[in-house]
Amino acid sequence: MAAPEGLPAGYQPCPVRSQCTTSSARNLTLRPREEHEALQLARADQSTAEWKCRYQPRAGIEATISQGVRSFNLRRSRYRGLAKTSLQHQLTGAAINLNRIGAWLGGSPHGRTRPSHFAALRLGLTV
């Protein structure tokens, strides 16, 4: 069997690849040096305690927006006009707070996050 273009002779595909991915092709993104170095610097910054402390509020806000979109149809407004739309958003925010208070008083546990496909493979789970 001839090796695919750009791969060394003697290349053999992974025999268990179908267990890991359904993709038929591999796509690599090669960025210009300056962009690559900036990306590496940003990723290194993200592993610092200071960055994680700065990011923490955003994580909470993202969760609130996600709950509003999933549970309260926050993506669309029922009304036309800024005043009515603003009122809808304020009332939706109050509803989210009441929902969370009710869950807290009722003792219902937080939802568990799903493991990624890669983590599921490592843990032996089926996704």
Side-chain angles (χ1 to χ4, degrees):
M1 173 173 125
E5 185 179 330
L7 296 175
Y11 164 82
Q12 293 293 317
C14 178
V16 291
R17 179 176 183 188
S18 63
Q19 294 177 8
C20 298
T21 183
T22 58
S23 174
S24 60
R26 180 177 177 194
N27 296 319
L28 296 176
T29 302
L30 300 175
R31 295 181 166 80
R33 179 181 302 273
E34 298 80 21
E35 189 178 333
H36 173 74
E37 289 172 353
L39 185 60
Q40 293 301 315
L41 188 63
R43 287 180 177 161
D45 187 37
Q46 289 177 2
S47 63
T48 64
E50 179 189 349
W51 187 91
K52 289 177 182 177
C53 186
R54 277 193 338 252
Y55 187 79
Q56 215 167 14
R58 179 178 174 158
I61 292 166
E62 296 270 354
T64 301
I65 291 173
S66 175
Q67 183 181 12
V69 167
R70 286 181 290 109
S71 302
F72 299 95
N73 202 18
L74 193 58
R75 209 177 293 278
R76 300 210 182 266
S77 177
R78 293 172 164 242
Y79 309 105
R80 290 187 183 173
L82 189 58
K84 289 181 183 179
T85 301
S86 177
L87 179 63
Q88 178 190 346
H89 287 167
Q90 292 169 17
L91 292 174
T92 302
I96 290 172
N97 287 340
L98 289 173
N99 188 336
R100 288 181 173 185
I101 289 170
W104 181 69
L105 291 174
S108 61
H110 292 289
R112 294 187 58 218
T113 58
R114 293 184 307 269
S116 68
H117 290 285
F118 186 69
L121 281 172
R122 183 177 51 116
L123 298 173
L125 302 174
T126 56
V127 178

